[in-house]
Amino acid sequence: AQSVTQLDSHVSVSEGTPVLLRCNYSSSYSPSLFWYVQHPNKGLQLLLKYTSAATLVKGINGFEAEFKKSETSFHLTKPSAHMSDAAEYFCVVSGLGGYQKVTFGTGTKLQVIP
Amino acid sequence: EAQVTQNPRYLITVTGKKLTVTCSQNMNHEYMSWYRQDPGLGLRQIYYSMNVEVTDKGDVPEGYKVSRKEKRNFPLILESPSPNQTSLYFCASSLKVAPVSTDTQYFGPGTRLTVL
């Protein structure tokens, strides 16, 4: 079985300050982990993914995430928030070994204050 | 342009009236999937398909059917819709490189369904 927990449903930051969106997972397999972003009234777009290569993953728009197996975490960070980062972010886990299901977290809405 | 398309984008219907939401991708992807998105619940997988004529249940398959007769199309069928199926629905596809769990999914624009 696999699950993913996004620890904050809403995060509010000021423009230019760091962003931290937290994600913890559990998986019976060695997981692949993703972050997707959904801007208002839009579909989802991949930000970055971890697939058992480097544990620090860089994505688009200056975002990065670090896979920490000991903490079962995959937190998303960005050094400096931009107004265009306001969106909903989803942490996603899928398993190896032929387990094809994909499990989404419940999402974190990021508000960026000017 | 590489894309996943869904139709209709918006649909209001009544309880019990059968409906189909179409999904089509032009990227020759083997894996396709349907999700529903509800406030506070994120996206939940309804059904997925690894290839033509191969489909399997996700986490919330009750009340839904799918078919995969062609690689590019993956329609979602609600035989007898009920108000609890009011939701935002997304279709997604991926190439299915090995292992498939590492695939990036490409999402359609969504279909907002209201069942009265």
Side-chain angles (χ1 to χ4, degrees), chain A residues 30-32 34 36 38 41-46 49 51 88 90 92 94-97 99-107, chain B residues 9 31 35 37 40-45 48 50 57-59 88 90 99-110 112:
Chain A
S30 298
S32 293
F34 306 76
Y36 284 85
Q38 184 181 30
N41 301 312
K42 296 286 177 81
L44 284 83
Q45 178 186 18
L46 179 73
K49 65 179 177 181
T51 59
E88 189 160 20
F90 293 94
V92 180
S94 65
L96 292 175
Y99 187 66
Q100 315 300 353
K101 286 186 182 178
V102 176
T103 303
F104 277 71
T106 53
Chain B
R9 294 289 313 279
Y31 183 96
Y35 299 88
Q37 183 179 18
L41 297 177
L43 277 77
R44 293 177 291 168
Q45 194 172 36
Y48 61 92
M50 296 296 293
K57 296 177 181 179
D59 294 317
L88 179 59
F90 287 100
V100 71
S101 61
T102 65
D103 272 357
T104 297
Q105 292 194 70
Y106 296 86
F107 286 83
R112 188 167 291 281

Side-chain angles (χ1 to χ4, degrees), chain A residues 3-112:
Chain A
S3 66
V4 59
T5 302
Q6 292 184 242
L7 296 159
D8 306 292
S9 58
H10 290 84
V11 169
S12 184
V13 301
S14 297
E15 191 176 18
T17 65
V19 176
L20 170 64
L21 305 183
R22 299 182 292 165
C23 172
N24 287 100
Y25 72 91
S26 70
S27 174
S28 303
Y29 303 89
S30 298
S32 293
L33 293 156
F34 306 76
W35 278 97
Y36 284 85
V37 60
Q38 184 181 30
H39 287 94
N41 301 312
K42 296 286 177 81
L44 284 83
Q45 178 186 18
L46 179 73
L47 266 183
L48 49 81
K49 65 179 177 181
Y50 166 77
T51 59
S52 78
T55 56
L56 182 62
V57 181
K58 293 190 186 299
I60 61 172
N61 300 332
F63 284 94
E64 61 181 40
E66 186 171 7
F67 174 69
K68 291 187 177 180
K69 187 174 182 179
S70 61
E71 298 176 11
T72 61
S73 70
F74 190 57
H75 300 335
L76 182 70
T77 60
K78 183 174 181 178
S80 175
H82 191 273
M83 294 299 295
S84 61
D85 295 329
E88 189 160 20
Y89 293 80
F90 293 94
C91 183
V92 180
V93 62
S94 65
L96 292 175
Y99 187 66
Q100 315 300 353
K101 286 186 182 178
V102 176
T103 303
F104 277 71
T106 53
T108 299
K109 283 192 176 159
L110 176 65
Q111 180 186 21
V112 181

Side-chain angles (χ1 to χ4, degrees), chain B residues 42-111:
Chain B
L43 277 77
R44 293 177 291 168
Q45 194 172 36
I46 303 171
Y47 270 94
Y48 61 92
S49 169
M50 296 296 293
N51 211 328
V52 175
E53 303 293 0
V54 180
T55 63
D56 208 346
K57 296 177 181 179
D59 294 317
V60 289
E62 296 77 21
Y64 304 95
K65 284 176 58 176
V66 293
S67 69
R68 188 93 181 272
K69 294 187 172 64
E70 307 164 279
K71 185 184 265 194
R72 63 182 292 130
N73 295 324
F74 190 46
L76 179 70
I77 303 156
L78 284 71
E79 295 267 2
S80 183
S82 62
N84 65 12
Q85 293 178 298
T86 293
S87 188
L88 179 59
Y89 291 86
F90 287 100
C91 180
S93 71
S94 63
L95 186 58
K96 204 185 89 174
V97 296
V100 71
S101 61
T102 65
D103 272 357
T104 297
Q105 292 194 70
Y106 296 86
F107 286 83
T111 295

